[in-house]
Amino acid sequence: YNSAVLFFLSVFQQRIEIHKLRDGDNLILGFSIGGGIDQDSNSSQNPFSEDKTDKGIYVTRVSKGGPAEVAGLRMGDKIMQVNGWDMTMVTHDQARKKLTKKNEDVVRLLVTRKSLENAVRQSMMQH
Amino acid sequence: MDTESTYSGYSYYSGRSRGSHRHGERSRDRHKSRSKESSRSEKSVTINAPPAEPLLGEQSVRGEEVQDDNWGETTTAVTGTSEHSLSQEDIVRISKDLDDSVGLDCKRYLNVALSVILGLVVLLTPLAFLILPHLLWPDRLRTCGTACEGLFISVAFKLLILLLAVWALFFRPPRAGLPRIFVFRALLATLVLLFVLSYWLFYGVRILDSQDEDYQGIVQYAVSLVDALLFIHYLAIVLLELRQLQPFFSLCVTRSTDGATQHYNLGQLSIQRAAVVILENYYKDFPVHNPAMLTASKSRAAKHLAGLKVYNVDVFQMKLKAYLLDSPGGNNAAAGIAQSQSRAMIAAAARRRDSSHNELYYEEAEHERRVRKRRARLVVAVEEAFTHICRMQEEEQKKASGDVMDPREAAQAIFPSMARALQKYLRTTRQQHLHSMESIQQHLAFCITNNMTPKAFLESYLTTGPTLQYGKDRWLARQWTLISEASVTSGLKDGTIFLLKCIDFSLVVTTKKIPYIQLAEEFIDPKSHKFVLRLQSETSV
């Protein structure tokens, strides 16, 4: 039973590794984030969150052909961790800082996705 | 004080007679004043507002002028519709005849004389109180000490103040001649009269009869009289001037011919006083009455009915029967049939496919276009005309060359170039009867003198102004009639309706009470204004 729970938890989440692209002096990841505990979260601005009180960091846009898209990040993903740092209870600015550290070339994100959840749920139902 | 007595004289006099007096005006009121009071509920009374010029022209005698100014306000007048109806021309003819009548003139001057006498009596009473003891029993009188003499000064100054106050309040040119007595003034006058009489009574019995030696007491008595008169004057101010200042009613005045509406806020006034206020404001607020504008709708209405001809077979049958059988025929049936006939006519007219609305629309559009075209031509013509005139400066005037003109001549010089365009425009907008050539030239000279631009000159022709703007002959100030179901001296109430009728149109006045306003308070602490930022930012990384 424990293993099934762990399996659940792990499958609902996905690990994504993005290699930053160097563009002149900047390192860009190729996506936009929205959300944060200091933000006003309501359904109009965050269509991706199921729970309206969710103040997590969401991916609002993914630029085409950028490193994030290549790595498998999709719009609507909720970022749970960045390089081990928790992203579920941070302000918008803190999240931005964690993602744009100048001395890091690679960011490892832990994201959840609604579609992922649904897909796993469906497959679980079948069994 | 003089005027208080004037009013007392008035109310006294008018109580006895039902004469009507007009300040320098003879009108049909004079005739109506002789009619019996009608017992009908609807009363028709006339208000005459004396025109400005006669007011200045008639003051021949200085003393009388002062009294003349007063009595106009308390005139009594017509109290009912006459049992015999008269046509308008009859009335005008009769009033012209009465113009030269001596009888009513005497009445007016008698009034004035009575009021003067009463005024003098009231004014001289304190002085008489003071002087009589010295004349009648000078030897027995105790000498007047310092305090007593101080009271003399007090009496003198208080009388002076009273005189000035009365002059300021009452000695003003009357605004209008009211149909009935001004109730408050009559009451005040009666009050003053009673007051003075009671003082005289007391004086006569207790002081003259007993030949009191205490002169100081007598002087104090006189001072108390003057004090009381000053307080009555205060009462007069409050009742006559202050009470109606606080707005209480909102009156809606509509002109019957074209529906022009204005609203006025008035205090608690009697109907006749409210009517005077409304008429005074009418001349400045309402656009001038233009009968030429109304003919279009009348012709449309006439065409609408004329197109229908209803034949009623039943009526024809009845008439035939009555004719053949020599019977009078039932009038009731005929009335009933006539009613149904008119109803049938209305129904048929409503159902008829009338294209008159189409006509109206195109006609109005066409008229609009024509007016705009003429207006454009007029504006251009006037602007060009004004460029020909140039004001000469002071220095240039000294070295005068030949062609120096004064404003009137300058106006006459440039008038012909714009006359045609102006005339055409006035004719299109149906205003040509409001402006004569003389008045236009005068206005032009006036504008040139005051350095006005062509646009300022044209403003009075392009828009219809209030009646004030046009010549005095347009002011039908003498010809207003107040028609009211309630008595005209009763106060305004919520829902009072009365009419002010003129020869060409009437003003319908409805009254509404201004509701009691309940204001609530809400306190906002200045420190409570706090704000937060609503961040909905999206950062690209």
Side-chain angles (χ1 to χ4, degrees):
Chain A
Y1 179 69
N2 275 340
S3 60
V5 168
L6 282 170
F7 178 66
F8 270 26
L9 290 174
S10 61
V11 161
F12 280 10
Q13 297 170 336
Q14 187 175 358
R15 290 188 186 280
I16 292 180
E17 191 172 298
I18 304 178
H19 295 264
K20 290 188 189 178
L21 186 64
R22 183 160 288 276
D23 174 27
D25 206 15
N26 304 326
L27 287 164
I28 61 169
L29 288 158
F31 66 97
S32 299
I33 52 165
I37 54 173
D38 57 337
Q39 304 284 304
D40 209 3
S41 76
N42 49 31
S43 59
S44 61
Q45 51 157 160
N46 199 351
F48 311 121
S49 63
E50 198 177 56
D51 182 4
K52 295 311 161 209
T53 59
D54 188 358
K55 295 209 186 249
I57 306 291
Y58 281 82
V59 175
T60 53
R61 234 172 14 97
V62 177
S63 51
K64 237 176 131 43
E69 193 181 18
V70 163
L73 193 66
R74 300 286 170 262
M75 189 169 80
D77 290 355
K78 179 177 172 179
I79 303 176
M80 312 290 286
Q81 285 180 9
V82 171
N83 284 346
W85 294 100
D86 173 51
M87 287 282 123
T88 54
M89 281 281 137
V90 291
T91 67
H92 188 92
D93 209 38
Q94 283 169 345
R96 182 188 59 82
K97 280 192 189 141
K98 290 284 183 290
L99 284 166
T100 53
K101 283 201 150 61
K102 280 222 183 278
N103 49 7
E104 288 172 357
D105 268 350
V106 175
V107 284
R108 293 186 179 79
L109 311 176
L110 185 64
V111 301
T112 47
R113 195 174 296 157
K114 278 224 26 153
S115 53
L116 204 61
E117 232 179 85
N118 290 341
V120 172
R121 238 192 260 268
Q122 275 176 3
S123 66
M124 293 304 295
M125 301 286 211
Q126 285 164 8
H127 291 286
Chain B
M1 200 182 350
D2 273 311
T3 38
E4 285 152 10
S5 58
T6 302
Y7 300 126
S8 78
Y10 252 74
S11 65
Y12 183 66
Y13 183 69
S14 50
R16 283 184 305 176
S17 79
R18 290 262 176 217
S20 119
H21 322 275
R22 287 290 165 268
H23 179 82
E25 260 196 281
R26 308 14 174 149
S27 72
R28 58 179 180 261
D29 278 352
R30 292 282 169 76
H31 173 79
K32 274 195 177 176
S33 72
R34 296 198 175 139
S35 71
K36 293 190 285 261
E37 180 172 354
S38 165
S39 54
R40 268 187 256 161
S41 58
E42 174 154 333
K43 301 176 179 66
S44 178
V45 296
T46 310
I47 294 180
N48 281 6
E53 286 128 15
L55 212 72
L56 299 166
E58 265 202 0
Q59 290 160 355
S60 46
V61 183
R62 183 74 199 159
E64 227 175 49
E65 165 210 20
V66 152
Q67 298 308 317
D68 266 355
D69 291 343
N70 277 319
W71 65 263
E73 303 232 37
T74 58
T75 55
T76 316
V78 191
T79 51
T81 54
S82 168
E83 301 285 354
H84 318 284
S85 62
L86 292 166
S87 69
Q88 197 66 32
E89 300 89 82
D90 286 353
I91 288 170
V92 168
R93 200 173 7 102
I94 290 168
S95 69
K96 283 211 176 62
D97 293 339
L98 291 177
D99 263 339
D100 310 62
S101 82
V102 181
L104 289 163
D105 236 8
C106 272
K107 251 194 231 173
R108 197 183 87 183
Y109 289 126
L110 195 60
N111 261 338
V112 171
L114 268 178
S115 53
V116 167
I117 291 170
L118 222 50
L120 283 176
V121 160
V122 172
L123 179 62
L124 296 176
T125 299
L127 303 175
F129 284 179
L130 294 175
I131 294 175
L132 276 176
H134 275 293
L135 295 176
L136 294 178
W137 60 97
D139 41 344
R140 284 181 36 197
L141 218 49
R142 248 180 269 153
T143 51
C144 197
T146 354
C148 176
E149 280 167 5
L151 288 175
F152 280 149
I153 300 178
S154 156
V155 167
F157 275 102
K158 281 184 186 159
L159 272 181
L160 180 68
I161 290 172
L162 190 62
L163 212 60
L164 283 176
V166 158
W167 170 82
L169 186 62
F170 294 110
F171 280 54
R172 290 182 290 188
R175 298 145 74 192
L178 298 177
R180 298 209 188 180
I181 56 169
F182 196 157
V183 172
F184 280 145
R185 290 194 182 199
L187 285 175
L188 280 169
T190 322
L191 179 67
V192 166
L193 187 63
L194 285 175
F195 179 72
V196 170
L197 282 179
S198 64
Y199 259 69
W200 268 112
L201 203 64
F202 184 86
Y203 187 77
V205 166
R206 298 289 289 274
I207 297 182
L208 285 182
D209 272 354
S210 62
Q211 303 219 331
D212 195 6
E213 304 116 14
D214 180 13
Y215 192 56
Q216 181 157 357
I218 295 175
V219 176
Q220 275 174 341
Y221 186 66
V223 171
S224 80
L225 171 66
V226 182
D227 285 342
L229 285 173
L230 277 172
F231 285 132
I232 292 184
H233 186 264
Y234 158 74
L235 183 67
I237 294 179
V238 165
L239 279 183
L240 298 178
E241 303 288 320
L242 291 184
R243 186 168 173 261
Q244 78 256 28
L245 287 181
Q246 187 184 42
F248 207 75
F249 294 105
S250 182
L251 270 69
C252 172
V253 185
T254 315
R255 189 157 59 183
S256 65
T257 46
D258 57 355
T261 308
Q262 291 283 339
H263 293 265
Y264 300 110
N265 276 7
L266 296 182
Q268 285 165 316
L269 289 173
S270 62
I271 292 181
Q272 56 183 4
R273 287 169 79 194
V276 169
V277 173
I278 286 171
L279 283 179
E280 284 173 359
N281 284 321
Y282 166 80
Y283 287 107
K284 83 164 161 67
D285 286 331
F286 277 76
V288 69
H289 173 248
N290 199 345
M293 298 293 213
L294 309 165
T295 51
S297 62
K298 282 197 197 144
S299 64
R300 271 201 301 276
K303 262 193 270 176
H304 182 67
L305 285 180
L308 279 182
K309 191 135 178 58
V310 176
Y311 294 94
N312 197 320
V313 180
D314 294 323
V315 168
F316 176 68
Q317 271 183 346
M318 272 197 47
K319 285 195 178 147
L320 195 58
K321 220 188 273 183
Y323 172 70
L324 291 175
L325 305 177
D326 270 339
S327 63
N331 274 339
N332 292 340
I337 286 173
Q339 210 180 30
S340 67
Q341 179 183 30
S342 47
R343 252 183 274 151
M345 255 183 92
I346 294 172
R351 253 179 272 137
R352 180 174 72 157
R353 269 169 178 266
D354 201 348
S355 65
S356 59
H357 59 273
N358 229 0
E359 237 177 75
L360 172 65
Y361 170 71
Y362 284 113
E363 201 181 290
E364 281 198 346
E366 178 63 33
H367 177 77
E368 186 89 4
R369 208 179 57 86
R370 233 181 308 141
V371 164
R372 266 193 243 138
K373 202 157 56 131
R374 291 263 163 97
R375 182 199 159 118
R377 285 209 194 121
L378 173 64
V379 168
V380 164
V382 169
E383 280 172 2
E384 277 179 25
F386 268 65
T387 56
H388 296 310
I389 288 277
C390 162
R391 179 175 274 264
M392 247 175 53
Q393 301 307 319
E394 281 285 335
E395 318 77 59
E396 296 171 6
Q397 276 178 23
K398 298 213 183 86
K399 36 181 175 123
S401 53
D403 239 355
V404 177
M405 297 183 283
D406 68 353
R408 206 178 54 86
E409 289 163 7
Q412 276 171 350
I414 59 173
F415 181 65
S417 58
M418 65 168 90
R420 196 168 154 73
L422 185 58
Q423 198 182 46
K424 279 199 160 154
Y425 179 80
L426 289 179
R427 217 168 260 160
T428 315
T429 52
R430 299 196 207 107
Q431 285 178 350
Q432 72 271 21
H433 59 283
L434 294 171
H435 306 278
S436 69
M437 204 165 80
E438 184 57 42
S439 77
I440 299 175
Q441 281 183 349
Q442 263 175 6
H443 187 236
L444 187 55
F446 172 76
C447 291
I448 293 176
T449 319
N450 293 309
N451 288 329
M452 291 197 190
T453 59
K455 189 161 156 47
F457 164 69
L458 276 179
E459 194 55 34
S460 68
Y461 302 109
L462 294 178
T463 55
T464 42
T467 319
L468 270 187
Q469 202 176 311
Y470 303 97
K472 287 261 172 73
D473 52 336
R474 305 235 127 244
W475 296 26
L476 312 167
R478 307 174 186 224
Q479 296 157 358
W480 292 98
T481 309
L482 173 60
I483 299 175
S484 155
E485 285 167 19
S487 153
V488 297
T489 47
S490 66
L492 287 174
K493 290 192 207 27
D494 187 26
T496 305
I497 299 180
F498 58 94
L499 256 79
L500 284 164
K501 203 159 76 110
C502 178
I503 296 181
D504 304 317
F505 55 90
S506 57
L507 296 173
V508 182
V509 183
T510 49
T511 318
K512 287 196 183 60
K513 189 154 119 63
I514 296 178
Y516 178 72
I517 298 173
Q518 179 72 45
L519 267 186
E521 174 203 356
E522 187 180 323
F523 175 67
I524 298 183
D525 185 4
K527 293 204 259 283
S528 72
H529 297 293
K530 299 272 182 246
F531 296 93
V532 288
L533 280 179
R534 289 182 80 204
L535 301 167
Q536 296 171 12
S537 42
E538 188 189 9
T539 321
S540 50
V541 293

